[in-house]
């Protein structure tokens, strides 16, 4: 008998977090968290949002709603509805990348290494604050989930503290936690920004058991400053940088190394602009995403050759825009911050590799599986003068800013996913297309994820629902498909809860709870 796993879409964050105050997009600007780059040194690629008027960091105020994380469970009922998460939270990113089921059920036994520079003395406590606030399971030294080492692989002495790099490390750890809450995490801190020390930190992470190593730092070099630090079966990922297209004669290392997966950045639109898509979100190239053509490295056989007689990068991408990124926690910087950069995209991609189980020991997986990745086809790096179009501009197929595409759970056959709502303003997105006195029209999306999938909508006066639409086939493809629904027999002038449910042989996924209010009944012959 096949066990059916029932998963709330909020499973990785059943204690949903909402932002307590909205901010106008035109009132904030991104700012690098680190000092200006020094030639021939590794720099960090983290950015935070600051006030355009004062230059001070924006501090969102997340608050917990509901109970503790429940995770996936074997059941015959989806239980009561769970409120939808707001953008820039772990649960929101999981849904945007079709990873709810995988984030809740996979990653156990996997170890992700985070290679950083200088010490963050608050790393463990800040990580605990982030995870407890978002309802993620505890990850501490005492329960064996978290370990902090120096570049020699020892717990002491740790390198000198640098608060700018500490902020970078907070984002790294929180990003890994967001998409792989079940993964063990090793933070390895290099003593200086020199390439040799960063290489030692990567090697120490591998020796300590990391299956994936995320490197958020990058440096612009005229020649490769590293010796080969690849390891059999270990995925090494590096940020492509936040400086747009790299000028000819320079390359972003370690991202340009042939055995490293170079991670570029996207902007993840939270607004339902234009024609709604089943996925519910729109992605484009982030205008600072790093990319380049390194003619000192041999072309990789699985990469496009157009315009580059060498190693072209990025290979893959994820959300990097600080306006659409992650709200993370760093105590010394004042607490909660909104951040991004390819420093966010890289640990997100490392966590993605962990929960999907792809073979990331080389970048080839991104090319082999490109058909099941999201393919941003708009946006550019913003500094295109003298660049070949392939490097500068996002397009259908491979491009420099986003590589073969952005991460997606479509890559794995399994339980269905549910698309984010694409209707309404960013502050109040919904699946509700229209409503009358006695009925409604709902529009969403479902990922069959390679298995015969059906969906239906539950609705009722409470989050216990009690009514549902007829089941409709979503097919057995991988891409998201439109999911329509028409609740009937509603009562005029009343509020109703509703959610989208999708099921296949692997599991049943229950979407987040939304509400609608029916209009007043029309009285025949009445005048306005």
């Amino acid at each position: 008998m096949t066990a059916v796993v029932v998963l709330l879409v909020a499973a990785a964050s059943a204690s949903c977090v909402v932002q307590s105050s909205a901010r106008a997009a035109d009132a904030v600007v991104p700012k690098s968290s680190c000092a200006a780059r020094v030639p021939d040194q590794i720099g960090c690629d983290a950015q935070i949002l600051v006030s355009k008027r004062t230059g001070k960091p924006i501090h969102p105020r997340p608050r917990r709603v509901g109970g503790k994380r429940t995770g996936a469970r074997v059941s015959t009922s989806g239980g009561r509805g769970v409120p939808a998460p707001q953008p820039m939270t772990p649960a929101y990113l999981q849904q945007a990348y079709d990873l709810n089921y995988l984030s809740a059920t996979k990653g156990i036994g996997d170890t992700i290494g985070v290679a950083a520079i200088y010490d963050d003395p608050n790393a463990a406590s800040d990580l605990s604050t982030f995870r407890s606030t978002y309802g993620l399971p505890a990850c501490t030294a005492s329960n064996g989930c978290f370990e902090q080492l120096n570049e020699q692989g020892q717990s002491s002495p740790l390198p000198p503290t640098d608060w700018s790099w500490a902020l970078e490390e907070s984002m790294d750890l929180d990003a890994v936690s967001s998409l792989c809450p079940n993964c063990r995490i090793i933070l390895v801190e290099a003593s200086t920004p020199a390439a040799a020390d960063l290489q030692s930190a990567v090697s120490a992470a591998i020796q300590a058991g990391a299956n994936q190593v995320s490197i958020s730092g990058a440096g612009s070099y005229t020649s490769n400053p590293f010796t080969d630090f690849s390891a059999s079966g270990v995925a090494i990922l590096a940020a492509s940088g936040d400086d747009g297209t790299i000028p000819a004669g320079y390359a972003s290392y370690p991202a340009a190394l042939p055995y490293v997966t170079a991670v570029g950045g996207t902007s993840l639109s939270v607004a339902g602009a234009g024609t709604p898509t089943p996925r519910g979100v729109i992605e484009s190239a982030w205008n600072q995403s790093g990319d380049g053509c390194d003619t000192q490295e041999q072309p990789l056989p699985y990469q496009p050759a157009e315009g580059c007689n060498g190693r072209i990068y990025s290979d893959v991408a994820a959300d990097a825009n600080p306006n659409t990124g992650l709200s993370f926690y760093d105590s010394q910087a004042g607490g909660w911050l909104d951040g991004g950069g390819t420093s966010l995209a890289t640990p997100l991609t490392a966590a993605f590799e962990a929960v999907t189980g792809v073979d990331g020991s080389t970048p080839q997986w991104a090319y082999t599986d490109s058909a099941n990745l999201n393919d941003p086809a708009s946006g550019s790096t913003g500094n295109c003068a003298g660049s070949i179009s392939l490097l500068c501009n996002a397009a259908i197929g491979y491009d420099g800013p986003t590589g073969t595409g952005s991460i997606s759970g479509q890559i794995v056959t399994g339980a269905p996913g549910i698309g984010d709502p694409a209707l309404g303003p960013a502050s109040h997105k919904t699946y509700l297309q229209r409503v009358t006195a006695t009925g409604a029209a709902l529009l969403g999306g479902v990922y069959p994820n390679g298995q015969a999938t059906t969906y239906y909508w539950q609705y009722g006066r409470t989050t216990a629902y009690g009514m549902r639409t007829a089941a409709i086939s979503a097919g057995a493809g991988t891409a998201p498909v439109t999911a329509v629904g028409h609740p009937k027999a509603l009562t005029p002038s009343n509020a109703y809860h509703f959610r989208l449910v999708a099921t296949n042989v692997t599991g049943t996924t229950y979407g987040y709870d939304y509400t609608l209010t029916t209009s007043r009944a029309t009285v025949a012959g009445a005048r306005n």
Side-chain angles (χ1 to χ4, degrees):
M1 178 178 179
T2 301
V4 177
V5 177
V6 178
L7 170 68
L8 288 175
V9 165
S13 184
S15 60
C16 298
V17 176
V18 298
Q19 303 301 115
S20 59
S21 61
R23 53 174 170 74
D26 59 357
V28 299
V29 292
K31 178 183 178 181
S32 174
S33 69
C34 289
R37 294 188 187 278
V38 176
D40 297 327
Q41 285 191 356
I42 301 295
C44 82
D45 292 299
Q47 298 195 17
I48 58 172
L49 291 183
V50 300
S51 166
K52 184 182 292 187
R53 182 175 62 85
T54 67
K56 294 182 179 180
I58 298 297
H59 294 294
R61 296 187 296 276
R63 68 175 184 269
R64 185 178 302 168
V65 177
K68 294 292 185 180
R69 176 181 184 268
T70 58
R73 61 192 186 276
V74 176
S75 176
T76 56
S77 170
R80 288 184 175 270
V82 175
Q86 293 298 297
M88 307 185 79
T89 63
Y92 186 89
L93 290 172
Q94 289 173 23
Q95 179 158 303
Y97 288 116
D98 184 26
L99 294 172
N100 295 105
Y101 178 82
L102 296 170
S103 292
T105 60
K106 304 297 182 180
I108 300 170
D110 197 295
T111 298
I112 296 178
V114 172
I117 296 169
Y118 297 124
D119 179 44
D120 177 4
N122 300 334
S125 58
D126 287 353
L127 178 62
S128 292
T129 298
F130 176 86
R131 293 176 71 111
S132 63
T133 300
Y134 285 117
L136 305 175
C139 186
T140 64
S142 60
N143 69 11
C145 176
F146 178 70
E147 190 172 11
Q148 189 169 2
L149 305 173
N150 61 26
E151 67 180 74
Q152 286 78 41
Q154 305 298 317
S155 58
S156 66
L158 295 175
T161 298
D162 181 285
W163 292 118
S164 295
W165 272 98
L167 187 150
E168 159 84 71
E169 292 173 42
S170 292
M171 182 188 293
D172 287 351
L173 298 176
D174 294 352
V176 167
S177 300
S178 295
L179 295 191
C180 191
N182 296 320
C183 283
R184 180 171 176 260
I185 305 174
I186 302 174
L187 172 63
V188 185
E189 299 171 327
S191 298
T192 77
D197 287 317
L198 177 61
Q199 179 169 328
S200 294
V202 173
S203 297
I206 294 171
Q207 289 297 316
N211 304 110
Q212 300 85 20
V213 180
S214 172
I215 309 169
S216 288
S220 183
Y221 295 87
T222 56
S223 61
N224 179 9
F226 297 97
T227 57
D228 188 346
F229 56 84
S230 61
S232 177
V234 176
I236 301 172
L237 306 92
S240 64
D242 295 351
D243 301 313
T245 302
I246 305 298
Y250 293 85
S252 180
Y253 282 99
L257 294 169
Y259 49 86
V260 168
T261 297
V263 183
T266 67
S267 293
L268 187 67
S269 172
V270 299
T275 303
T277 64
R279 184 184 173 199
V281 292
I282 301 169
E283 252 178 312
S284 58
W286 180 47
N287 64 4
Q288 292 179 239
S289 179
D291 58 70
C293 171
D294 186 0
T295 56
Q296 296 186 61
E297 301 288 344
Q298 292 296 311
L300 300 180
Y302 42 81
Q303 286 193 298
E306 177 188 349
C308 177
N309 186 29
R311 160 70 157 123
I312 194 169
Y313 56 95
S314 299
D315 298 306
V316 70
D319 188 13
N321 188 333
N323 285 288
T324 67
L326 178 67
S327 293
F328 68 101
Y329 189 81
D330 186 86
S331 55
Q332 63 81 28
W336 291 97
L337 302 162
D338 286 340
T342 51
S343 281
L344 171 64
T346 304
L348 288 177
T349 305
F352 163 81
E353 289 193 352
V355 298
T356 57
V358 300
D359 179 7
S361 55
T362 73
Q364 185 169 358
W365 71 267
Y367 299 83
T368 302
D369 296 321
S370 60
N372 288 322
L373 299 177
N374 304 308
D375 189 6
S378 63
S380 75
T381 57
N383 57 341
C384 303
S387 298
I388 61 175
S389 179
L390 182 70
L391 279 179
C392 184
N393 300 300
I396 295 174
Y398 181 86
D399 57 76
T402 68
T404 61
S406 69
I407 58 176
S408 173
Q410 295 171 228
I411 207 170
V412 175
T413 298
I418 290 177
D420 192 66
L423 302 172
S427 59
H428 188 65
K429 294 181 70 181
T430 180
Y431 298 104
L432 180 62
Q433 195 171 30
R434 62 181 179 274
V435 63
T436 66
T438 59
L442 307 176
L443 181 65
V446 168
Y447 295 86
N449 288 335
Q451 298 189 132
T453 296
T454 59
Y455 70 87
Y456 56 90
W457 298 80
Q458 291 182 319
Y459 59 101
R461 296 294 304 279
T462 71
T463 55
Y465 308 105
M467 295 180 284
R468 52 173 280 184
T469 62
I472 298 176
S473 172
T478 55
V481 298
T482 298
V484 298
H486 297 90
K488 299 177 180 178
L490 307 182
T491 303
S493 303
N494 273 299
Y496 285 85
H497 293 263
F498 65 92
R499 68 179 176 187
L500 179 56
V501 182
T503 185
N504 62 28
V505 295
T506 299
T508 297
T509 302
Y510 290 82
Y512 294 114
D513 179 76
Y514 291 83
T515 59
L516 63 85
T517 301
T518 53
S519 55
R520 291 191 303 171
T522 301
V523 180
R527 294 183 179 180
N528 293 330

